[in-house]
Structures are given as structure tokens and as C-alpha cells.
Amino acid sequence: MAKPRPSANRLREAPTPNQNLPRERRPLRARWKAWTQQHREGLHSSLGRLRARPWATMLTVLVMGIALALPLLLYVLLDNARDLSGGLREAREFTAFLRTSENAESARAFAAELGRRSDVLGVAVRTPEQGLAEFRQLSGFAEALDVLQENPLPSVLVVSPRAGGDLDNPPLLAELQGDPRVDMVQYDAAWRQRLSAILGFGERAMQALVILLGLATLLVVGNTVRMDIQARSEEIAVVQLMGASDGYVRRPFLYAGFWYGVFGGVLAVIAVVLVELAVRAPLLELMASYQNRFSLHGFGWAEGVVVVGASALLGWIGAWIVSTRYLLAGRPQR
């Protein structure tokens, strides 16, 4: 009796002619019912397998959650800094410090002269007495200021230009800097440029971090699913010999990756919210000491849903890559 010819992969042998039987045509409703039932079974069975290995599942979810939480925290920081930058861009006032030889009356006359310009919206005068009182209130050196013989602060003009024009080099800035009555002009255009550059660098760094940690998430899920596939290689061989399709074999591993992604995304969102709650109170206290009305905003529920969905997609993709590679290569030879 002749022996059958050996095959390189006995799980993918071509069917013999007597196996090429016509497939029974079932109604569309029956096929849809069978398809949904298979997906429900894969969804629940994969979750049950994760629950059966709590420590391994917990370690995988912790690694994924920490990897996803890092770029999320950076995103929240940049989002708040972007709002702060927008507020600074809207603050277009010039602060002109007059020479100490200019008294309050000459400062008011100078303010009236500037107020008649077409490119000036308004001018506010701060006398040396007002400046000293404000400094005494904010600095906390009230007792040290009492020993001063005279007020060393000059008169200050806060000039509000009209909207429009060049924000970086407005003509009014050069005129104020060249006026002999003005000692120094403070205008935060350079700081705004630096802040914009810092935010641009932070956004680019966040994008690179998202890509790197996303790849790390794929590797974590892929390695976990690969070990699960190896542990179930005999079971996979049996169902393949019984005629199971690649989709049927792949399905429970895809749902396992999905659950890993969901749990990792939820953990990342919880970690970000906990960090926000931990730093909110001291940060608000610090900003209140500078009389800053900037409002902090954290992670919203819509952003949390997006993060969990993206994490689940990453887990699904990682499991699909590993399971597809295994199915294409076949069961390793012993």
C-alpha cells in the first residue's frame, strides 16, 4: 500500500476530490444569525479566558495603561498651555514706564496726547502711589517698604492699541521707545513668539511620543496574543483539521486584543483623571497668588471615549497581525 506524500504544512493540505462537495445554500437570515452567534461566543469566551488569568491580564493592562497615559498627560498640558497662549495673544497692551522726572500731571497729559491717536483705543494712567500700593499688596514686603524715604516707582501708561495691524512690530512701539519721556516699554511680542515655538515643539514631541507608545502597545498586545496562540496550538490544529476557517480561528484572539485595548484605555483615562485631581488644587492656589483668572480644563468624557476606542483598535490590530502571521505560517513543526 502506497504511503501518502508528506506535506510541508499538514494543516493546509489541499482537499481531496471527494472532499469538494457542494456547499449547502442557507438563507441569509440563518447565515446572519450564525455569524452574530459566533461573534458573541468569541467575545464572551475571550473575556472568560482573560478572567481565568488575572495576573497576566493585569500586567498587560497595566503596561498598556501607563504607555497610553503618558502622551495623554502631555496632551492635557499642551491643551491648557495653548489656551494660555491664546490669552497672551489677546493681551496687546503696551506698558510704558515714564522717567522719574515725569510727575502725575505730565503723565496724564501724555496719556491724553496718546489717546487722540487713531491707532490707540485707550490709555490708562497708573501713578507711583497706585503702583506702590499694588506692589505692597502682591509682593508681601509691606514692612520692608515702610522704611523707604520716597517712592521709587515711576508713572506708568498702559496703552491699548486698536485691533488689526502687526502684532509683533507695531509702529506705536517704535514711537514710544523713541520718546524722551519714556524710560522703558514692555511689550510681550517676543515672549509670545517664544511661547508659540515652545508649544510647536511640544506638539511635535507629543506626536512622536504617541507613535512610539502606540507601537509599544501593539507589541505588548501582540506578544501576549502570541503566547496565547502557542498555548492553544493543539486546539487550533484540531479545529483546522475539522475544517474551521481562518476567520473562525482568528476571532477569539482578535476579541482578546480588543479587551486588552479597552481595559488599557480605561486605565489610562483613570490615571489621567487622578493626576488632574492631584495637581488641580495646588496649581489653582499658585495661579490665584498671581491673580490669574486662567481656567484649567481637564480630560472630557468625549475625549475619554475616543481614547478607549483608539486603544481598543490598537489591541485589535496587534492581535490581528500576530494571529494572521501564525495562520499564514501554519503550526510550527516539532
Side-chain angles (χ1 to χ4, degrees):
M1 179 178 180
K3 296 183 179 180
R5 185 168 54 90
S7 174
N9 188 345
R10 60 189 179 87
L11 299 180
R12 292 185 171 276
E13 294 179 355
T16 57
N18 57 358
Q19 290 177 329
N20 292 332
L21 299 177
R23 300 181 60 182
E24 180 183 0
R25 301 287 297 180
R26 293 185 298 171
L28 179 61
R29 183 177 180 180
R31 283 183 287 170
W32 170 258
K33 184 177 180 180
W35 185 83
T36 54
Q37 182 179 359
Q38 290 176 2
H39 277 271
R40 285 197 302 268
E41 291 176 354
L43 187 67
H44 291 92
S45 63
S46 60
L47 183 59
R49 289 184 178 274
L50 297 185
R51 287 164 47 186
R53 301 171 309 190
W55 289 108
T57 302
M58 184 181 65
L59 289 176
T60 303
V61 171
L62 282 175
V63 172
M64 291 184 62
I66 294 174
L68 293 172
L70 293 176
L72 294 180
L73 288 172
L74 183 58
Y75 166 77
V76 173
L77 177 62
L78 289 175
D79 195 26
N80 284 274
R82 193 180 299 112
D83 289 349
L84 178 61
S85 173
L88 290 176
R89 289 190 179 94
E90 293 176 358
R92 306 175 57 207
E93 292 83 4
F94 301 92
T95 303
F97 296 88
L98 304 184
R99 298 186 183 275
T100 55
S101 58
E102 302 292 331
N103 55 26
E105 293 184 0
S106 61
R108 293 189 182 93
F110 191 15
E113 176 184 343
L114 292 175
R116 289 191 291 269
R117 292 174 58 104
S118 60
D119 56 348
V120 174
L121 184 62
V123 182
V125 180
R126 293 181 182 175
T127 62
E129 291 75 17
Q130 292 175 340
L132 185 62
E134 183 178 356
F135 184 75
R136 183 189 301 273
Q137 179 183 1
L138 297 179
S139 64
F141 298 103
E143 297 180 357
L145 294 175
D146 292 337
V147 302
L148 295 177
Q149 298 290 334
E150 59 183 7
N151 190 348
L153 299 179
S155 298
V156 177
L157 302 182
V158 181
V159 183
S160 301
R162 295 188 181 276
D166 187 5
L167 292 178
D168 295 330
N169 296 297
L172 182 59
L173 176 62
E175 296 183 19
L176 288 176
Q177 290 175 340
D179 196 292
R181 294 167 291 183
V182 178
D183 185 32
M184 183 183 67
V185 180
Q186 179 180 347
Y187 184 53
D188 293 333
W191 165 245
R192 286 198 298 269
Q193 292 176 353
R194 296 189 189 101
L195 182 59
S196 298
I198 292 173
L199 290 178
F201 170 76
E203 291 178 356
R204 186 63 59 87
M206 182 190 68
Q207 294 172 1
L209 191 62
V210 167
I211 294 174
L212 291 177
L213 294 179
L215 292 176
T217 302
L218 287 177
L219 292 176
V220 170
V221 174
N223 184 64
T224 305
V225 173
R226 180 184 62 83
M227 291 188 296
D228 191 15
I229 291 176
Q230 289 180 347
R232 300 173 59 185
S233 59
E234 295 296 334
E235 177 185 348
I236 295 174
V238 171
V239 296
Q240 284 183 322
L241 289 174
M242 295 175 62
S245 64
D246 288 350
Y248 182 86
V249 174
R250 188 190 297 116
R251 188 174 299 118
F253 302 109
L254 295 181
Y255 279 115
F258 168 80
W259 286 121
Y260 281 128
V262 169
F263 295 148
V266 171
L267 180 62
V269 172
I270 292 175
V272 172
V273 172
L274 290 178
V275 172
E276 290 177 1
L277 294 177
V279 304
R280 176 177 290 271
L283 185 57
L284 290 177
E285 183 178 356
L286 174 63
M287 298 176 67
S289 64
Y290 286 94
Q291 293 187 344
N292 196 319
R293 296 183 178 86
F294 174 69
S295 60
L296 294 174
H297 56 87
F299 219 58
W301 66 269
E303 295 168 322
V305 172
V306 172
V307 169
V308 174
S311 178
L313 181 61
L314 284 175
W316 184 283
I317 293 175
W320 184 87
I321 292 174
V322 172
S323 58
T324 301
R325 181 180 179 276
Y326 175 83
L327 291 173
L328 290 176
R331 190 174 67 178
Q333 299 292 331
R334 295 183 180 272

